[in-house]
Amino acid sequence: MKKIYLLALAVIGFTANTFAQSATASATATIITPIAISKTIDMNFGNIATNATAGTVVLSATGTRTKTGGVTLPAAAGTISAASFTVTGSGTSTYAITLPGSAVSLTSGGNTMTIDAFTTSTAGTLTAGTQTFTVGATLNLGTSQAAGTYTTGAT
């Protein structure tokens, strides 16, 4: 009988020494401005003359143009501009630009040309929540390309 009595005292002694513990934590959420992009200037290759030989006009991302083949860049250049976009967001957010990987058609009535080999001036990190970048491309003219204003139709 003594053995049972001592065992009961040992169990009571261990349970009397346990204490309930608790802790709390704070929760925080930060809402940031999402990345947004807007077009500021359309791409424009300017005035171009062509003859019976195919050629190209390369419009750099900085807005300068060069020619190859049967293309003439007349003195009355018209409007020449690389496409321009503004990216906005929070602080120094980062982003990436994906340019078309294949040719894009321009049409004037039933006539077509293509642009390809797209280039960009910059991409990457916003400075104080904003960055502007430009896009150039290569315009491919066919032999004796028909006169007209060619467009992708996008605005």
Side-chain angles (χ1 to χ4, degrees):
M1 195 72 148
K2 271 185 166 178
K3 288 183 183 179
I4 294 174
Y5 181 73
L6 291 176
L7 181 58
L9 279 176
V11 171
I12 291 171
F14 285 120
T15 58
N17 289 331
T18 59
F19 299 99
Q21 301 294 319
S22 65
T24 59
S26 297
T28 302
T30 303
I31 307 301
I32 64 167
T33 304
I35 294 261
I37 185 170
S38 61
K39 175 199 69 171
T40 52
I41 300 173
D42 285 319
M43 183 180 292
N44 197 326
F45 287 87
N47 294 333
I48 302 163
T50 184
N51 60 32
T53 304
T56 65
V57 176
V58 177
L59 178 64
S60 73
T62 60
T64 60
R65 63 184 186 160
T66 57
K67 66 178 183 73
T68 67
V71 172
T72 301
L73 302 176
T79 302
I80 301 167
S81 60
S84 181
F85 301 88
T86 300
V87 179
T88 57
S90 290
T92 58
S93 296
T94 60
Y95 65 97
I97 299 169
T98 302
L99 299 172
S102 58
V104 175
S105 294
L106 287 84
T107 59
S108 175
N111 302 304
T112 63
M113 292 187 292
T114 62
I115 55 176
D116 60 11
F118 294 87
T119 60
T120 184
S121 59
T122 188
T125 304
L126 300 180
T127 303
T130 188
Q131 185 174 50
T132 298
F133 70 91
T134 55
V135 175
T138 299
L139 175 66
N140 302 287
L141 292 90
T143 57
S144 300
Q145 189 74 47
T149 301
Y150 290 74
T151 183
T152 60
T155 56

